[in-house]
Amino acid sequence: MNILLVNVPHPAIGSRIPDDHLPPLGLLAIGGPLIDDGHEVSLIDGEFGPMPIPDLVARIVASAPEAVLFGHSGSTSGHPVIAAVSASVAAAMPDVHIVYGGVFPTYHAREILKAEPHVTVIVRGEGEETARRLMAALAAGQPLGTIPGLTFRDGGVIRETPPAPPIRDLDAYRVGWELIDHARYSYWGGLRAVVVQFSRGCPHPCTYCGQRGFWTRWRHRDPVRFAKELARLHREHGVRVINFADENPTVSKKVWRSFLDALIAEEVDLILVGSTRADDIVRDADILPLYKRAGWVRFLLGLESTDAATLDLIRKGATTTTDREAIRLLRENGILSMATWVVGFEEERDRDYWRGLRQLLAYDPDQIQMLYVTPHRWTPYFRTVEERRVIQTDRRLWDYKHQVLATRHMPPWRVLLWFKLIEVILQARPKALRRIYLNRDPRLSHAMRWYTRMGRRVWPHEIRSWFRDPLVRNGPSVAQFWGAGQADENALATRRREAA
């Protein structure tokens, strides 16, 4: 089949503010197996520009595909764009197969098919094997009911096949790197870059995160083969920056050390950035020098909160002492720490923000990423906020960088004021400025200066967005806006359902 993968332009600040763009790993992960099956596969990346929707639709139609596959990593806020593009494509090409996959469509499959009759089928959960079987069936005109992991319309009935099993061997499916021109993708201030995934899932039961429900369990690639792939990307394509998409790549110290040793043995000059848990950093205190030798420059630590009660509420499984120690150890080993701090888990008051600011200053992270709580109905946390009021009904803005929930004790403008004030104090304090402009490590200096430039652009953008995008006063409850919670439905372990 002639298959076209489409990455739509995403409205989120993280996509629009930086001059850099990273390749769409999810689509490339689907593309590799489809190429190996003999299909003619190509990719259109609408992020560049960004491409206006009419131009994107025109390019899709001009490619004359038999099937168009949509997906996006920021899938909740990206869904309205995908819905608009796919509807226009289907109107221009009534016989084309519209296939949609990702986290959001996995959990909203039935609603999407009811509201968007042009969508042919939704792939739930992991897509590599399911997409292979789906494309083979569509090419042969065979029924879809025997393929696990699909939701589709069969006449007037929406059918959901049993869940696809988790992929046991992540190395069995390759990423279709040949679908992109590596020279177009960069990060870290113009350095050629890719997104990779060493592992999937996370064993920790944090209620705010949907990774455990979507991936069901933590799995990893072969550490030596993975290191060789990164080395090949550097040698053959000039890739300098490796951005890990993993939620928690360091779960197994033994496996992670094998990867670090293998990458060090490749002797490639790479910059590695990604996320992990603070307790893993503390656990690995003795091998942090290997992290540095392998190329690690920055870790995003999902601290989420500096309040012990809130950490217990969201079942983070961490302590404030561990979080502080992780930041200290990273600095001691020449690795930057970026602390995420989420506003809105509780309905805070001024004193809560003041206490949080003081605790963040005591943590002393190199960088801070402030986020707003954004509940998704496939997470256990969703049920704790079902009755809270929604103040932002534009789903394109459910991207963690916009206020979406009301706070009983504070108006939205004061939440914004605290949000921006904390950012400024953390990033502009003398200690932070010295690290940015007087750092003797050129890699760390470049990283911090680049992030500071991005922050200077994001800061006023968020303020303008707050005034431009109206908030509702008496909005629906979270449950009314999104529907019933789905925390009991794992993407790879849902029950078979059928509805007219």
Side-chain angles (χ1 to χ4, degrees):
M1 291 185 73
N2 181 358
I3 299 170
L4 181 62
L5 310 175
V6 177
N7 189 36
V8 301
H10 198 283
I13 293 171
S15 295
R16 299 282 63 89
I17 291 296
D19 297 323
D20 298 304
H21 291 287
L22 290 165
L25 176 63
L27 291 173
L28 299 183
I30 300 298
L34 293 178
I35 291 172
D36 292 345
D37 280 353
H39 297 286
E40 182 181 341
V41 183
S42 57
L43 168 73
I44 295 178
D45 194 342
E47 284 277 45
F48 291 102
M51 193 180 297
I53 288 181
D55 294 351
L56 178 58
V57 172
R59 281 199 56 186
I60 294 171
V61 173
S63 300
E66 296 171 85
V68 182
L69 277 57
F70 290 95
H72 203 289
S73 57
S75 57
T76 297
S77 52
H79 172 71
V81 184
I82 290 177
V85 173
S86 61
S88 296
V89 170
M93 306 177 66
D95 296 328
V96 73
H97 298 293
I98 301 292
V99 180
Y100 187 13
V103 179
F104 183 87
T106 289
Y107 290 100
H108 291 258
R110 295 161 62 80
E111 292 91 338
I112 292 171
L113 288 178
K114 287 179 181 178
E116 303 169 28
H118 58 276
V119 176
T120 306
V121 58
I122 288 173
V123 174
R124 307 190 323 272
E126 293 176 314
E128 289 91 338
E129 181 60 27
T130 304
R132 291 183 63 227
R133 297 181 180 184
L134 171 62
M135 291 299 107
L138 292 176
Q142 296 174 346
L144 307 181
T146 60
I147 302 172
L150 299 181
T151 303
F152 61 97
R153 193 179 296 99
D154 184 4
V157 176
I158 294 175
R159 299 193 181 277
E160 183 176 275
T161 65
I167 296 173
R168 293 182 178 274
D169 181 8
L170 297 182
D171 291 296
Y173 305 91
R174 69 176 186 87
V175 178
W177 295 116
E178 66 268 41
L179 291 167
I180 64 170
D181 176 2
H182 284 276
R184 300 187 70 195
Y185 293 92
S186 64
Y187 190 58
W188 221 243
L191 301 180
R192 194 169 295 191
V194 295
V195 182
V196 299
Q197 195 177 41
F198 173 65
S199 65
R200 291 181 177 177
C202 179
H204 300 280
C206 307
T207 64
Y208 181 56
C209 177
Q211 289 294 315
R212 188 170 184 172
F214 187 77
W215 300 114
T216 71
R217 63 188 179 89
W218 188 77
R219 291 151 289 150
H220 63 86
R221 293 192 51 187
D222 178 272
V224 175
R225 289 181 62 177
F226 185 68
K228 290 184 179 297
E229 181 176 347
L230 301 191
R232 182 183 63 80
L233 288 170
H234 173 73
R235 293 175 180 133
E236 296 181 7
H237 300 288
V239 171
R240 290 288 315 285
V241 181
I242 306 294
N243 190 334
F244 280 66
D246 308 45
E247 288 296 312
N248 192 7
T250 57
V251 166
S252 168
K253 182 175 182 177
K254 179 180 178 181
V255 170
W256 187 244
R257 176 162 187 167
S258 296
F259 162 68
L260 295 174
D261 288 337
L263 190 58
I264 291 168
E266 292 289 340
E267 298 184 342
V268 287
D269 183 20
L270 290 173
I271 295 171
L272 309 181
V273 297
S275 305
T276 194
R277 286 176 58 94
D279 46 5
D280 283 7
I281 294 297
V282 175
R283 178 203 67 193
D284 289 353
D286 60 321
I287 64 169
L288 286 178
L290 295 181
Y291 282 57
K292 181 69 173 179
R293 286 181 58 195
W296 279 99
V297 173
R298 186 187 75 190
F299 269 110
L300 186 151
L301 300 176
L303 308 186
E304 322 308 359
S305 176
T306 53
D307 180 73
T310 300
L311 292 174
D312 287 340
L313 171 70
I314 62 175
R315 298 179 64 187
K316 182 66 180 177
T319 66
T320 55
T321 302
T322 300
D323 292 342
R324 284 195 297 269
E325 178 64 4
I327 291 170
R328 187 193 69 80
L329 286 170
L330 288 175
R331 180 170 295 124
E332 186 178 90
N333 286 274
I335 302 172
L336 296 176
S337 61
M338 173 182 281
T340 60
W341 201 67
V342 182
V343 170
F345 281 124
E346 301 282 2
E347 299 194 70
E348 295 98 344
R349 302 173 187 266
D350 290 306
R351 63 175 177 265
D352 299 311
Y353 286 105
W354 173 247
R355 184 173 63 249
L357 170 59
R358 294 179 62 186
Q359 290 173 326
L360 283 171
L361 289 170
Y363 279 25
D364 193 24
D366 294 303
Q367 299 169 340
I368 183 77
Q369 184 178 91
M370 299 280 292
L371 304 171
Y372 294 103
V373 68
T374 307
H376 299 293
R377 72 184 202 182
W378 53 88
T379 65
Y381 174 75
F382 183 89
R383 289 181 178 169
T384 70
V385 295
E386 283 181 322
E387 300 307 314
R388 286 181 65 177
R389 291 289 159 184
V390 171
I391 59 174
Q392 179 50 261
T393 56
D394 185 344
R395 299 186 182 194
R396 294 173 301 173
L397 303 181
W398 282 63
D399 60 1
Y400 302 95
K401 297 300 286 183
H402 294 84
Q403 291 185 58
V404 298
L405 298 184
T407 300
R408 283 178 295 174
H409 310 301
M410 300 180 70
W413 67 265
R414 205 152 86 234
V415 173
L416 175 71
L417 184 63
W418 272 111
F419 190 95
K420 305 315 290 182
L421 179 64
I422 291 172
E423 283 184 332
V424 169
I425 292 175
L426 265 292
Q427 297 296 148
R429 59 203 163 111
K431 186 184 293 186
L433 293 175
R434 284 198 301 273
R435 290 175 186 152
I436 295 170
Y437 297 107
L438 300 178
N439 200 309
R440 295 182 179 180
D441 185 325
R443 283 194 172 193
L444 300 189
S445 178
H446 171 85
M448 296 188 74
R449 288 173 185 243
W450 174 74
Y451 186 73
T452 299
R453 289 196 301 271
M454 292 302 102
R456 288 173 181 166
R457 296 171 63 184
V458 168
W459 203 87
H461 181 93
E462 288 184 325
I463 294 176
R464 289 195 300 269
S465 176
W466 191 88
F467 284 102
R468 184 187 64 238
D469 302 316
L471 301 176
V472 298
R473 288 185 178 272
N474 297 304
S477 69
V478 173
Q480 290 170 336
F481 187 68
W482 284 115
Q486 297 172 293
D488 296 331
E489 296 183 19
N490 290 329
L492 302 175
T494 56
R495 296 186 300 273
R496 187 187 184 101
R497 294 174 304 190
E498 187 169 296

